[in-house]
Each structure stands twice: as C-alpha cells, then as structure tokens.
C-alpha cells in the first residue's frame, strides 16, 4: 500500500508540478511532451490503484484463508508487472525523448520572443525563467542579451552559467532518476507479491486436501 501511495503521489506531483504544468501548457500540439505528460499521469494512477488493490486482497486472503482472494491478488500483481516492464523498457529506449521535447518547447518560446513576433510568448518565457530559476540560453546568434535583460527575473545573471537548457536538463534528469528507481522497486515488489500469493494459494490448496484425507461419509 505504501508503494502504491508513493507512486500516486509522484504521479500527482509530476502532473500538477509547476515546471511540468508550465511546459505542458506552452507546448504545441505537434510536440510530444503533452501526450507523454498526460500518459504518465494516468499510467501512474492506474498502477498505484492496482498495487493498493493487490495488497488489500493479499491481506484479506491471508486473514480469511481464501483461495479466490489469493488468486485475485496474484492477478493484480501480474497485471502491475505487465505494465511496469514496458514502462521500464520505454525509459531505456526513449531515455532522451522527454528531455528533448521540454527543451524544444523552451527553444520555440525563446525564438518567438527573440524575433518579437508575440507579446504573449514574453509572459510565457518569463514564467519559465522564474519556474526553473534560470536565465536565457547560450545562442550561436550572439544577439540574446536584449532578450535576457528583459525576460530574466531579477538576480539571475546569464554569465554565471544558469543556462535554461542546462537547468531543464538537470532538473529532468534528477526527476527521471527518481522515477526509474521507484519503477525498479515496484518491479521487485510485484515479483515478490506474485511468488508470495502463489505460495499462499498452493499452501491453502494442499492443506485443504490433507484436511479431507481419510474422512469418509457413510450412507
């Protein structure tokens, strides 16, 4: 149950966190970040509910010695395991997709402001700078000083190395490392749960047969 609540909390923080929500609202429909953002939230909530249900069923099956509840608990653990393995594989095969999509959003907003084509983007860029505590980016064009002076929050100096692309990359790396660690713990827990529920089911089944052995009914 604690693991399920932890996953639910992490999913909620990821979905409603300031940095993630801001990037999701700014991103265009062609950008994949918004799809990843919503998919990760719903997957995390479903996974947490499955793990909590599996723990409750296993506890009830142990107390009541019910083979049916034990089988249902095993099914919930197996269902969670089948969801966790593809998620872990996706994390390995698409390790930079989330990071690239977030930085693409910032690049788009930054270039829109640099070209002075949208006053609304100026507000969005300022909000990103305040959320990530960064200031502009290093650009090969060499004409970004004016943008940074106007759009960066007070006290943030670009020369100190607070490049927004690097700050976004570092922030997301720490978050994804924590997510992957929690996924690994969840995979280990589901495997342990499947072994435990299987052992309980066979124990109940054979003990029930042994209890009836040698008993006869006279008619």
């Amino acid at each position: 149950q604690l693991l399920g609540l932890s996953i639910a909390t992490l999913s909620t923080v990821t979905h409603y966190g300031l940095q993630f929500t801001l990037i999701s609202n700014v991103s265009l429909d062609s950008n994949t970040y918004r799809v990843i953002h919503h998919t990760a939230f719903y997957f995390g909530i479903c996974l947490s509910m499955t793990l909590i249900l599996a723990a409750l069923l296993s506890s009830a099956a142990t107390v009541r010695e019910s083979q049916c509840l034990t089988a249902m608990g095993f099914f919930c653990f197996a269902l969670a395991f089948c969801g966790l393995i593809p998620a872990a594989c996706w994390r390995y095969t698409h390790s930079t997709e989330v990071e690239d999509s977030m930085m693409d959003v910032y690049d788009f907003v930054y270039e829109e402001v640099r070209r002075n084509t949208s006053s609304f983007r100026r507000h969005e860029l300022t909000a990103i700078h305040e959320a990530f505590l960064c200031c502009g980016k290093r650009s090969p064009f060499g004409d970004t000083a004016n943008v940074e002076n106007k759009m960066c929050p007070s006290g943030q100096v670009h020369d100190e190395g607070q490049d927004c692309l690097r700050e976004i990359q570092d922030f997301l790396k720490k978050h994804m490392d924590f997510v992957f660690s929690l996924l690994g713990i969840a995979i280990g827990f589901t495997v342990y749960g499947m072994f435990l529920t299987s052992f309980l089911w066979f124990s109940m089944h054979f003990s029930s047969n042994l209890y009836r052995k040698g008993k006869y009914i006279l008619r």
Side-chain angles (χ1 to χ4, degrees):
Q1 294 179 359
L2 183 61
L3 181 61
L5 291 175
S6 300
I7 294 176
T9 302
L10 180 62
S11 301
T12 304
V13 170
T14 302
H15 189 263
Y16 295 103
L18 176 61
Q19 292 87 347
F20 298 103
T21 304
L22 184 61
I23 296 295
S24 178
N25 293 335
V26 174
S27 63
L28 300 176
D29 294 335
S30 58
N31 192 288
T32 59
Y33 176 77
R34 187 175 297 178
V35 176
I36 298 173
H37 185 236
H38 291 291
T39 302
F41 172 71
Y42 292 119
F43 173 79
I45 294 299
C46 292
L47 178 62
S48 64
M49 293 176 61
T50 303
L51 289 174
I52 292 173
L53 180 60
L56 292 175
L57 288 173
S58 300
S59 301
T62 304
V63 173
R64 301 182 60 179
E65 296 185 359
S66 172
Q67 292 180 261
C68 180
L69 292 177
T70 306
M72 293 174 63
F74 175 84
F75 175 76
C76 289
F77 281 119
L79 185 64
F81 181 79
C82 292
L84 286 167
I85 293 301
C89 292
W90 186 90
R91 171 68 177 86
Y92 269 115
T93 57
H94 300 78
S95 58
T96 61
E97 184 170 342
V98 180
E99 175 184 309
D100 293 341
S101 61
M102 288 186 72
M103 291 192 294
D104 287 343
V105 172
Y106 180 80
D107 278 331
F108 170 76
V109 176
Y110 189 92
E111 292 303 320
E112 287 289 310
V113 174
R114 191 178 65 84
R115 298 189 187 100
N116 295 320
T117 57
S118 175
S119 59
F120 181 72
R121 297 297 182 187
R122 294 174 180 270
H123 175 71
E124 294 177 343
L125 184 62
T126 302
I128 293 175
H129 287 165
E130 293 176 351
F132 287 94
L133 299 178
C134 58
C135 181
K137 67 174 185 176
R138 293 185 176 88
S139 174
F141 297 103
D143 57 352
T144 60
N146 188 37
V147 176
E148 294 166 9
N149 290 334
K150 293 181 179 179
M151 299 296 107
C152 291
S154 59
Q156 298 294 331
V157 182
H158 179 63
D159 293 335
E160 293 180 355
Q162 292 177 331
D163 182 7
C164 275
L165 295 180
R166 179 173 295 178
E167 291 295 322
I168 292 173
Q169 186 178 16
D170 293 342
F171 168 81
L172 192 60
K173 184 179 183 301
K174 294 178 182 178
H175 186 80
M176 294 302 292
D177 288 342
F178 185 75
V179 170
F180 189 70
S181 299
L182 194 59
L183 281 177
I185 295 173
I187 290 174
F189 180 79
T190 53
V191 172
Y192 171 76
M194 285 190 292
F195 276 112
L196 181 61
T197 50
S198 300
F199 175 77
L200 289 175
W201 190 90
F202 282 108
S203 298
M204 294 174 188
H205 178 73
F206 288 114
S207 64
S208 178
N209 290 340
L210 290 173
Y211 179 75
R212 294 186 179 90
K213 186 176 181 180
K215 292 190 175 182
Y216 302 94
I217 298 177
L218 297 177
R219 295 184 178 179

